[in-house]
């Protein structure tokens, strides 16, 4: 997962990109980078860390130009090193490119092996670097042709912004797995993973970059090309369930409202009589509000979140994860003591953080704990950019709901049904990628990536 931003036609493009990345920080906390161009010179700054730590007045003042691309990274492929930080910046003959990618290619390893056979030297372990090599190879035929040819070869999920000297280019895979929105900023343009990046800089949302579309923005304005026909849409439904910010519009819809509808559906499927409803904040808040409203129950914050801790998943090592769980949420004994509660969360992945949290609210005095999850059991890994890559790590892949309930030490555990999820999706429900719930992968997974699907899990 990652967040990307592109800016064209603003005299302080790097500052706009910085504010945009700040709003997109939830999409990746490992590294941040901005590349800027004044039409002739291209400058970059990137480092490991949060946006606020990576940039200061000085670095931003040195990034002069009216075109910028930026990236916040949360690794799904490639390890956490500054070499793997994006935008990926290269010079090829007279041409300079900077590319920022959100998503995950499913055939990058095959393309890379082929390119290496032909003599390409790779600098990083990122799938995104493959895209840069393919672009460079086809560049003789012009940038538009080069992108079209590249889009014919790469498979999987990609929302991309590309700075090519005097142009800002955006393109998106024909399935539209990851979001990518287009906005207007004082006569210039802005492209970002989520519209929350527009709000902060007071840009107006125009529309999404269409699946399969290439947008080229330069001195002549904006031109659009439908490079690849989009036959079937596969928007990542997990963006709505968990990943995107609730104040954003993605795939043409507001995330908050969508999550509330998930809560309504949960209340329809599993109405409970508890003393109150509480979320595991922040991700569970919106479905919990929906559930409480529909079930006519009071809403309480039974645990308090410490906001100065990053998202637990984003720290890649298991040993750090447990610590973050404890430091992140603290139960309020006064609220929980002697109570029968309905806890709502957006999803269960490994089950490890939930187990720790549930123990904590039990110790704080809740005597009956019912848990409601606002999506179906996640049984299959994602190969399109969400970080639950191996089946062995997914608790629902090998365990029944009853086994999970016992492992989590719950009185009741209820997952929203797939039908409920689709009902919440309303008209858009034909357009979703549901592979993590169903195992139906819209873009086939290539050999070499799929072996993980068959990994088994140790007994609990
Ligand atoms: P678990 O109990 O399965 O270890 O963790 C469940 C929690 O992880 C939920 O609160 C959910 O919001 C969060 N979660 C689900 N998917 C992701 C993800 O891809 N990244 C991060 N950082 N958290 C996730
Ligand atoms: Mg959460």
């Amino acid at each position: 997962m990652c967040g990307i931003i592109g800016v064209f036609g603003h005299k302080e493009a790097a500052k706009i990109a910085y504010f945009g990345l700040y709003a997109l920080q939830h999409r990746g906390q490992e590294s941040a980078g901005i590349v800027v161009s004044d039409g002739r010179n291209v400058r970059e700054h990137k480092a490991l860390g949060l946006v606020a730590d990576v940039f200061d007045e000085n670095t931003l003042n040195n990034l002069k130009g009216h075109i910028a691309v930026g990236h916040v990274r949360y690794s799904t492929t490639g390890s956490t090193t500054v070499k793997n930080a994006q935008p990926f910046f290269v010079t090829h003959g007279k041409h300079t490119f900077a590319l920022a990618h959100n998503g995950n290619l499913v055939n990058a390893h095959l393309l890379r092996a082929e390119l290496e056979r032909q003599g390409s030297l790779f600098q990083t372990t990122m799938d995104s670097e493959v895209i840069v090599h393919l672009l460079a190879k086809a560049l003789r035929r012009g940038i538009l042709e080069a992108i079209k040819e590249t889009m014919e070869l790469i498979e999987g999920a990609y929302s991309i912004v590309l700075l090519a000297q005097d142009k800002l280019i955006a393109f998106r895979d024909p399935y539209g797995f990851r979001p990518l929105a287009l906005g207007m900023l004082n006569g210039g343009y802005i492209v970002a993973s989520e519209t929350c990046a527009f709000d902060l800089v007071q840009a107006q949302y125009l529309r999404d970059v269409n699946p399969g579309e290439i947008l080229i923005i330069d001195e002549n304005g904006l031109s659009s090309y439908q490079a690849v026909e989009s036959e079937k849409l596969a928007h990542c439904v997990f963006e709505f369930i968990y990943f995107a910010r609730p104040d954003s519009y993605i795939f043409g819809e507001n995330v908050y409202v969508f999550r509330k509808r998930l809560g309504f559906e949960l209340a329809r499927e599993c109405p409970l009589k508890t003393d109150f409803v509480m979320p595991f904040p922040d991700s569970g808040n919106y479905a919990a509000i929906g559930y409480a409203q529909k079930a006519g129950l009071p809403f309480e914050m039974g645990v308090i979140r410490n906001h100065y801790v990053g998202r637990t998943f984003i720290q890649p090592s298991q040993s750090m994860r447990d610590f973050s769980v404890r430091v992140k949420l603290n139960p309020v004994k006064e609220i929980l003591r002697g109570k029968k509660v309905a806890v709502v969360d957006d999803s269960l992945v490994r089950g490890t953080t939930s187990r720790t949290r549930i123990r904590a609210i039990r110790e704080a005095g809740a005597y009956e704990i019912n848990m409601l999850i606002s999506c179906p059991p996640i049984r299959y890994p994602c190969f399109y950019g969400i970080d639950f890559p191996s089946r062995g790590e997914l608790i629902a892949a090998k365990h029944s709901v009853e086994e999970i309930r016992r492992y989590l030490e719950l009185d009741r555990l209820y997952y929203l049904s797939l039908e409920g999820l689709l009902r919440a999706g309303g008209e858009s429900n034909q357009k979703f990628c549901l592979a993590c719930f169903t195992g139906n992968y819209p873009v086939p997974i290539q050999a070499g990536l799929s072996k993980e699907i068959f990994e088994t899990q140790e007994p609990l």
Side-chain angles (χ1 to χ4, degrees), residues 335-362:
I335 295 292
L336 291 164
R337 197 177 299 125
K339 290 297 189 319
K340 175 173 168 180
V341 301
V343 182
V344 179
D345 205 357
D346 64 286
S347 57
L348 281 175
V349 183
R350 295 172 175 87
T352 47
T353 52
S354 303
R355 186 176 148 105
T356 315
R357 291 166 174 184
I358 290 156
R359 278 215 171 139
I361 58 176
R362 181 87 64 191

Side-chain angles (χ1 to χ4, degrees), residues 313-324:
F313 265 58
I314 281 166
Q315 301 157 15
S317 82
Q318 179 73 43
S319 59
M320 289 170 76
R321 193 176 292 125
D322 288 347
F323 175 75
S324 329

Side-chain angles (χ1 to χ4, degrees), residues 70-282:
H71 188 267
V72 283
R73 175 176 157 85
Y74 169 14
S75 71
T76 49
T77 63
S79 48
T80 309
T81 67
V82 73
K83 264 205 154 170
N84 280 345
Q86 292 196 21
F88 193 73
F89 179 50
V90 285
T91 301
H92 176 75
K94 298 194 300 294
H95 304 275
T96 305
F97 293 110
L99 178 138
H101 172 202
N102 173 208
N104 205 39
L105 302 183
V106 296
N107 66 340
H109 57 304
L110 302 175
L111 293 168
R112 182 176 172 133
E114 180 56 32
L115 287 162
E116 282 177 337
R117 239 191 318 278
Q118 295 170 20
S120 289
L121 297 172
F122 279 81
Q123 300 174 28
T124 73
T125 55
M126 286 185 295
D127 60 340
S128 320
E129 191 179 357
V130 170
I131 302 170
V132 179
H133 279 268
L134 293 172
L135 286 175
K137 271 175 74 104
L139 204 57
R140 258 173 289 128
R141 292 179 283 282
I143 186 73
L144 179 63
E145 235 2 86
I147 296 173
K148 279 189 189 160
E149 284 180 32
T150 301
M151 287 172 77
E152 297 286 342
L153 292 171
I154 57 180
E155 289 170 20
Y158 53 91
S159 282
I160 289 175
V161 290
L162 175 71
L163 185 157
Q165 212 89 11
D166 59 347
K167 294 180 176 57
L168 172 69
I169 300 172
F171 54 105
R172 190 168 172 217
D173 69 70
Y175 292 84
F177 281 104
R178 300 281 145 233
L180 193 61
L182 169 69
M184 191 98 186
L185 177 69
N186 304 328
Y189 289 96
I190 180 164
V191 178
S193 295
E194 293 181 34
T195 60
C196 63
F198 297 169
D199 299 338
L200 191 56
V201 298
Q202 294 181 295
Q204 288 86 46
Y205 170 59
L206 291 176
R207 64 175 175 89
D208 285 356
V209 177
N210 291 319
E213 183 184 34
I214 304 173
L215 281 183
I216 300 190
I217 304 165
D218 59 18
E219 291 305 326
N220 304 317
L222 179 141
S223 354
S224 153
Y225 306 88
Q226 190 65 38
V228 187
E229 259 341 293
S230 174
E231 279 155 20
K232 180 172 181 271
L233 291 175
H235 300 318
C236 170
V237 76
F238 206 67
E239 291 269 358
F240 276 124
I241 294 166
Y242 168 77
F243 211 77
R245 236 171 75 160
D247 48 342
S248 288
Y249 288 76
I250 56 164
F251 314 131
E253 257 198 272
N254 174 245
V255 176
Y256 187 124
V257 172
F258 193 105
R259 286 185 193 163
K260 258 182 87 170
R261 288 204 304 264
L262 294 173
F264 293 165
E265 293 302 330
L266 264 180
R268 262 172 59 162
E269 292 186 1
C270 184
L272 295 173
K273 293 255 173 298
T274 57
D275 291 315
F276 59 81
V277 178
M278 60 173 270
F280 277 150
D282 291 329

Side-chain angles (χ1 to χ4, degrees), residues 416-437:
L416 183 64
S417 68
L418 191 63
E419 295 69 37
L421 172 63
L422 293 177
R423 266 197 307 274
E427 283 168 16
S428 48
N429 74 31
Q430 297 300 319
K431 303 178 191 165
F432 288 133
C433 174
L434 301 165
C436 52
F437 308 121

